[in-house]
PDB file of all heavy atoms in Angstrom:
ATOM      1  N   HIS N 548     118.741  94.471  67.481  1.00  0.00           N
ATOM      2  CA  HIS N 548     118.955  95.818  66.934  1.00  0.00           C
ATOM      3  C   HIS N 548     120.422  96.103  66.652  1.00  0.00           C
ATOM      4  O   HIS N 548     120.813  97.248  66.423  1.00  0.00           O
ATOM      5  CB  HIS N 548     118.372  96.875  67.885  1.00  0.00           C
ATOM      6  CG  HIS N 548     116.882  96.925  67.842  1.00  0.00           C
ATOM      7  ND1 HIS N 548     116.097  96.298  68.782  1.00  0.00           N
ATOM      8  CD2 HIS N 548     116.032  97.488  66.951  1.00  0.00           C
ATOM      9  CE1 HIS N 548     114.823  96.489  68.485  1.00  0.00           C
ATOM     10  NE2 HIS N 548     114.748  97.201  67.372  1.00  0.00           N
ATOM     11  N   GLY N 549     121.256  95.085  66.709  1.00  0.00           N
ATOM     12  CA  GLY N 549     122.666  95.247  66.353  1.00  0.00           C
ATOM     13  C   GLY N 549     123.595  95.575  67.497  1.00  0.00           C
ATOM     14  O   GLY N 549     124.795  95.730  67.284  1.00  0.00           O
ATOM     15  N   ASN N 550     123.088  95.713  68.706  1.00  0.00           N
ATOM     16  CA  ASN N 550     123.932  95.957  69.883  1.00  0.00           C
ATOM     17  C   ASN N 550     124.193  94.618  70.567  1.00  0.00           C
ATOM     18  O   ASN N 550     123.574  94.286  71.570  1.00  0.00           O
ATOM     19  CB  ASN N 550     123.248  96.925  70.855  1.00  0.00           C
ATOM     20  CG  ASN N 550     122.963  98.261  70.218  1.00  0.00           C
ATOM     21  OD1 ASN N 550     123.754  98.769  69.447  1.00  0.00           O
ATOM     22  ND2 ASN N 550     121.807  98.820  70.515  1.00  0.00           N
ATOM     23  N   TYR N 551     125.112  93.857  70.006  1.00  0.00           N
ATOM     24  CA  TYR N 551     125.322  92.481  70.435  1.00  0.00           C
ATOM     25  C   TYR N 551     125.979  92.389  71.795  1.00  0.00           C
ATOM     26  O   TYR N 551     126.935  93.103  72.086  1.00  0.00           O
ATOM     27  CB  TYR N 551     126.171  91.737  69.399  1.00  0.00           C
ATOM     28  CG  TYR N 551     125.538  91.755  68.033  1.00  0.00           C
ATOM     29  CD1 TYR N 551     126.040  92.559  67.022  1.00  0.00           C
ATOM     30  CD2 TYR N 551     124.416  90.994  67.775  1.00  0.00           C
ATOM     31  CE1 TYR N 551     125.451  92.587  65.781  1.00  0.00           C
ATOM     32  CE2 TYR N 551     123.811  91.018  66.536  1.00  0.00           C
ATOM     33  CZ  TYR N 551     124.334  91.817  65.538  1.00  0.00           C
ATOM     34  OH  TYR N 551     123.735  91.840  64.313  1.00  0.00           O
ATOM     35  N   GLY N 552     125.451  91.500  72.622  1.00  0.00           N
ATOM     36  CA  GLY N 552     126.017  91.232  73.937  1.00  0.00           C
ATOM     37  C   GLY N 552     126.923  90.010  73.882  1.00  0.00           C
ATOM     38  O   GLY N 552     127.011  89.324  72.864  1.00  0.00           O
ATOM     39  N   ALA N 553     127.592  89.747  74.982  1.00  0.00           N
ATOM     40  CA  ALA N 553     128.477  88.597  75.064  1.00  0.00           C
ATOM     41  C   ALA N 553     127.656  87.302  75.044  1.00  0.00           C
ATOM     42  O   ALA N 553     126.674  87.185  75.775  1.00  0.00           O
ATOM     43  CB  ALA N 553     129.315  88.673  76.339  1.00  0.00           C
ATOM     44  N   PRO N 554     128.040  86.327  74.229  1.00  0.00           N
ATOM     45  CA  PRO N 554     127.253  85.108  74.094  1.00  0.00           C
ATOM     46  C   PRO N 554     127.532  84.033  75.148  1.00  0.00           C
ATOM     47  O   PRO N 554     126.708  83.144  75.345  1.00  0.00           O
ATOM     48  CB  PRO N 554     127.640  84.590  72.704  1.00  0.00           C
ATOM     49  CG  PRO N 554     129.026  85.089  72.499  1.00  0.00           C
ATOM     50  CD  PRO N 554     129.084  86.406  73.213  1.00  0.00           C
ATOM     51  N   LEU N 555     128.659  84.085  75.823  1.00  0.00           N
ATOM     52  CA  LEU N 555     129.060  82.981  76.698  1.00  0.00           C
ATOM     53  C   LEU N 555     128.129  82.802  77.897  1.00  0.00           C
ATOM     54  O   LEU N 555     127.698  81.684  78.186  1.00  0.00           O
ATOM     55  CB  LEU N 555     130.506  83.166  77.175  1.00  0.00           C
ATOM     56  CG  LEU N 555     131.059  82.029  78.032  1.00  0.00           C
ATOM     57  CD1 LEU N 555     131.013  80.713  77.271  1.00  0.00           C
ATOM     58  CD2 LEU N 555     132.466  82.351  78.476  1.00  0.00           C
ATOM     59  N   GLN N 556     127.798  83.864  78.595  1.00  0.00           N
ATOM     60  CA  GLN N 556     126.987  83.742  79.809  1.00  0.00           C
ATOM     61  C   GLN N 556     125.602  83.155  79.524  1.00  0.00           C
ATOM     62  O   GLN N 556     125.181  82.226  80.213  1.00  0.00           O
ATOM     63  CB  GLN N 556     126.887  85.098  80.521  1.00  0.00           C
ATOM     64  CG  GLN N 556     126.410  85.013  81.958  1.00  0.00           C
ATOM     65  CD  GLN N 556     124.897  84.904  82.085  1.00  0.00           C
ATOM     66  OE1 GLN N 556     124.161  85.372  81.223  1.00  0.00           O
ATOM     67  NE2 GLN N 556     124.433  84.273  83.146  1.00  0.00           N
ATOM     68  N   PRO N 557     124.872  83.625  78.503  1.00  0.00           N
ATOM     69  CA  PRO N 557     123.574  82.999  78.250  1.00  0.00           C
ATOM     70  C   PRO N 557     123.688  81.544  77.780  1.00  0.00           C
ATOM     71  O   PRO N 557     122.816  80.727  78.086  1.00  0.00           O
ATOM     72  CB  PRO N 557     122.926  83.878  77.183  1.00  0.00           C
ATOM     73  CG  PRO N 557     123.979  84.782  76.692  1.00  0.00           C
ATOM     74  CD  PRO N 557     125.064  84.826  77.695  1.00  0.00           C
ATOM     75  N   LEU N 558     124.759  81.203  77.070  1.00  0.00           N
ATOM     76  CA  LEU N 558     124.949  79.811  76.674  1.00  0.00           C
ATOM     77  C   LEU N 558     125.165  78.927  77.894  1.00  0.00           C
ATOM     78  O   LEU N 558     124.554  77.858  78.023  1.00  0.00           O
ATOM     79  CB  LEU N 558     126.134  79.670  75.718  1.00  0.00           C
ATOM     80  CG  LEU N 558     126.476  78.233  75.309  1.00  0.00           C
ATOM     81  CD1 LEU N 558     125.317  77.597  74.553  1.00  0.00           C
ATOM     82  CD2 LEU N 558     127.751  78.203  74.496  1.00  0.00           C
ATOM     83  N   VAL N 559     125.993  79.385  78.819  1.00  0.00           N
ATOM     84  CA  VAL N 559     126.243  78.625  80.044  1.00  0.00           C
ATOM     85  C   VAL N 559     124.967  78.528  80.879  1.00  0.00           C
ATOM     86  O   VAL N 559     124.671  77.477  81.462  1.00  0.00           O
ATOM     87  CB  VAL N 559     127.412  79.244  80.853  1.00  0.00           C
ATOM     88  CG1 VAL N 559     127.559  78.587  82.204  1.00  0.00           C
ATOM     89  CG2 VAL N 559     128.710  79.142  80.058  1.00  0.00           C
ATOM     90  N   ALA N 560     124.181  79.600  80.923  1.00  0.00           N
ATOM     91  CA  ALA N 560     122.905  79.566  81.647  1.00  0.00           C
ATOM     92  C   ALA N 560     121.977  78.525  81.028  1.00  0.00           C
ATOM     93  O   ALA N 560     121.292  77.787  81.749  1.00  0.00           O
ATOM     94  CB  ALA N 560     122.247  80.944  81.642  1.00  0.00           C
ATOM     95  N   ALA N 561     121.935  78.448  79.697  1.00  0.00           N
ATOM     96  CA  ALA N 561     121.084  77.462  79.025  1.00  0.00           C
ATOM     97  C   ALA N 561     121.554  76.039  79.336  1.00  0.00           C
ATOM     98  O   ALA N 561     120.730  75.166  79.638  1.00  0.00           O
ATOM     99  CB  ALA N 561     121.086  77.706  77.518  1.00  0.00           C
ATOM    100  N   LEU N 562     122.853  75.799  79.282  1.00  0.00           N
ATOM    101  CA  LEU N 562     123.377  74.468  79.597  1.00  0.00           C
ATOM    102  C   LEU N 562     123.108  74.103  81.051  1.00  0.00           C
ATOM    103  O   LEU N 562     122.747  72.960  81.359  1.00  0.00           O
ATOM    104  CB  LEU N 562     124.876  74.407  79.300  1.00  0.00           C
ATOM    105  CG  LEU N 562     125.246  74.494  77.821  1.00  0.00           C
ATOM    106  CD1 LEU N 562     126.761  74.580  77.656  1.00  0.00           C
ATOM    107  CD2 LEU N 562     124.677  73.341  77.038  1.00  0.00           C
ATOM    108  N   ASN N 563     123.266  75.073  81.931  1.00  0.00           N
ATOM    109  CA  ASN N 563     122.967  74.853  83.348  1.00  0.00           C
ATOM    110  C   ASN N 563     121.487  74.502  83.523  1.00  0.00           C
ATOM    111  O   ASN N 563     121.133  73.587  84.278  1.00  0.00           O
ATOM    112  CB  ASN N 563     123.326  76.104  84.151  1.00  0.00           C
ATOM    113  CG  ASN N 563     123.101  75.923  85.625  1.00  0.00           C
ATOM    114  OD1 ASN N 563     123.688  75.040  86.248  1.00  0.00           O
ATOM    115  ND2 ASN N 563     122.256  76.764  86.197  1.00  0.00           N
TER     116      ASN N 563
END
Side-chain angles (χ1 to χ4, degrees):
H548 286 99
N550 300 322
Y551 302 106
L555 183 59
Q556 196 278 333
L558 176 62
V559 172
L562 292 174
N563 183 59

